[in-house]
Amino acid sequence: MSLSQGHEIIAIPGPSPLPMRVLNAAHRASPDIYAEPLAQLNLSVMAQLKRLAGTQAHLAPYIGNGHAGWEAAAANLFDKGDAVLVVTCGHFGRSWADTLETMGVAVERLDFGNLPPDPARIAARLDEDRQHRLQAVMVCQTDTASATMADIPAIRAAMGDHPALLVVDAIASLGCAPMRMDEWGVDVLIAASQKGLMCLPGTAFVWFSDKAAARGRSGLTTPYWDWHLRAGAEALWRYWGGTPPVQQLYALDEALRMILDEEGLEAAWRRHARLARAVWAAVDAWGQGHPEIRASVADAAARAASVTAVTLPGADRLRAWVTAECGVTLGVGLGAPDPAGALRVAHMGHCNAAMLMGTLGAMQAGLIALDIPHGTGALEAAAASLARSD
Ligand SMILES: *Cc1c(COP(=O)(O)O)cnc(C)c1O
């Protein structure tokens, strides 16, 4: 007998929970893709996506996941042998660097382990690059594996007047944490539909500045990935390099309406920050007298808004228990030094306080059931944190 029947809670950092409204919006037969209504819907979705990123820059959409977004950006920006600085703070940054290397880009890694980047080290490296060999600085705003938050404005400031482009992977942070692409001077931004955008997996987006566009076509650019052909295309099929993902467009339209027009983008950022703070309060309480339980990123200011990595002996057993007994799915300890002793709690996209308390309550029950030593008062601490309105 288990207590897992009922509404399941998916607390993995992507794909994130889908609002029923978004799912229902997608539940439509394909329309005539050559008729005006769909072309108009596409334009409206593109405009909303620019609002989401805080930009008036260009936007190229792709059918694909976040990995497709990585490859799309690289195929437009670089030639084989171009030098780039990839700032890595976890599994995703390292894997991004691997992808670029495989494409023939000359990757130099500035590795911060599983901690957020130190802008001073980026500044120091760029200072040495007198000949301006480095074409781009590339960084994940949130590395979903380490659950870090990079300070993008500080990194931009650290770049000074070095001409390198700033390329940001916001796949796990867009819609969850502030992003002001134009104000912050981000040249290329990459995101995908299934995390903070609370939509179905399957679409990636690459926003790019005039400065990035001015690089022209590179040796790696092939027609399918060419962002010039997509951004601002006359015909709908051009935007998508072929048949548009029509059901996804309906879903995106609904999800973006919910985020931008109903909740409001800044309110969504605040919600994520408050949910994150409640998770941290619970983890801190579990860690009272048990320092082996802790948020993996010590500095709260450097933690992601959308996912929290927790170091916790017995994490793999706890994850299995909460799934089997409570219907809650937690994220694995991806890229942690001891993956079996780490897990991740996602609070990403369509997540509210009740879902979060459900997740934390299941974890609390599991700690007791499995006899994993822990401090008391975690649920009280999380509730007290949620009760604060700031
Ligand atoms: C999820 C994620 C990716 C990969 O996206 P996929 O859609 O799984 O291909 C890349 N970078 C970050 C930061 C992510 O969170």
Side-chain angles (χ1 to χ4, degrees):
M1 206 280 286
S2 111
L3 300 174
S4 65
Q5 300 309 307
H7 200 103
E8 287 172 2
I9 295 182
I10 300 291
I12 58 173
S16 64
L18 268 182
M20 208 47 80
R21 278 177 60 184
V22 171
L23 205 50
N24 286 337
H27 193 94
R28 280 177 66 171
S30 297
D32 177 1
I33 60 167
Y34 302 102
E36 199 49 26
L38 194 67
Q40 287 307 324
L41 178 75
N42 183 67
L43 289 179
S44 153
V45 167
M46 295 300 135
Q48 302 291 66
L49 285 166
K50 290 185 187 185
R51 267 176 74 197
L52 188 72
T55 187
Q56 312 212 351
H58 313 280
L59 167 56
Y62 298 88
I63 295 178
N65 54 20
H67 285 75
W70 282 350
E71 215 161 307
N76 282 284
L77 287 170
F78 307 124
D79 275 309
K80 275 188 198 296
D82 278 354
V84 302
L85 186 67
V86 184
V87 176
T88 64
C89 320
H91 165 85
F92 281 96
R94 292 191 273 276
S95 163
W96 191 12
D98 292 344
T99 298
L100 291 159
E101 240 162 34
T102 308
M103 291 176 78
V105 177
V107 171
E108 179 178 323
R109 295 164 194 246
L110 194 56
D111 187 31
F112 291 89
N114 284 341
L115 292 175
D118 173 5
R121 276 183 59 198
I122 298 172
R125 177 61 193 97
L126 292 178
D127 265 354
E128 287 165 14
D129 183 34
R130 296 267 152 69
Q131 271 107 47
H132 296 162
R133 276 185 56 254
L134 293 167
Q135 309 279 302
V137 173
M138 313 182 72
V139 63
C140 294
Q141 185 179 24
T142 281
D143 191 306
T144 324
S146 56
T148 47
M149 174 78 81
D151 185 341
I152 301 299
I155 292 172
R156 175 77 255 181
M159 290 171 65
D161 31 5
H162 192 290
L165 298 168
L166 176 57
V167 181
V168 176
D169 168 343
I171 294 171
S173 49
L174 193 67
C176 309
M179 168 51 64
R180 306 180 195 275
M181 181 176 170
D182 291 355
E183 192 185 314
W184 291 357
V186 174
D187 292 294
V188 178
L189 189 73
I190 303 166
S193 47
Q194 80 279 18
K195 297 190 182 178
L197 275 66
M198 53 190 211
C199 214
L200 297 85
T203 39
F205 307 102
V206 181
W207 297 255
F208 56 103
S209 67
D210 286 338
K211 183 176 163 193
R215 289 173 66 86
R217 293 190 169 79
S218 85
L220 291 177
T221 314
T222 51
Y224 187 77
W225 297 116
D226 189 343
W227 61 22
H228 299 283
L229 294 180
R230 293 180 180 239
E234 293 281 313
L236 175 60
W237 70 269
R238 271 270 185 225
Y239 265 99
W240 293 95
T243 303
V246 286
Q247 283 74 15
Q248 176 80 300
L249 282 171
Y250 295 131
L252 279 166
D253 181 52
E254 187 72 4
L256 290 164
R257 185 183 352 273
M258 289 171 75
I259 297 170
L260 295 169
D261 299 331
E262 295 178 13
E263 182 174 15
L265 185 53
E266 304 221 345
W269 296 341
R270 286 289 316 138
R271 170 169 55 86
H272 282 87
R274 287 181 61 192
L275 294 175
R277 188 179 66 190
V279 176
W280 308 341
V283 175
D284 284 350
W286 286 325
Q288 280 300 316
H290 297 274
E292 69 280 9
I293 302 181
R294 59 184 183 277
S296 308
V297 179
D299 177 8
R303 290 182 199 149
S306 52
V307 55
T308 298
V310 184
T311 306
L312 191 158
D316 52 351
R317 287 187 297 134
L318 182 64
R319 276 193 309 102
W321 192 91
V322 298
T323 303
E325 300 297 327
C326 303
V328 171
T329 307
L330 299 171
V332 298
L334 187 66
D338 170 21
L343 55 77
R344 290 172 302 152
V345 182
H347 26 91
M348 176 185 279
H350 191 58
C351 180
N352 65 21
M355 292 160 74
L356 194 77
M357 285 307 283
T359 299
L360 296 173
M363 292 173 72
Q364 176 69 65
L367 289 168
I368 296 168
L370 298 172
D371 263 333
I372 298 175
H374 60 277
T376 57
L379 296 180
E380 190 72 31
S385 169
L386 290 173
R388 278 169 51 193
S389 60
D390 62 315

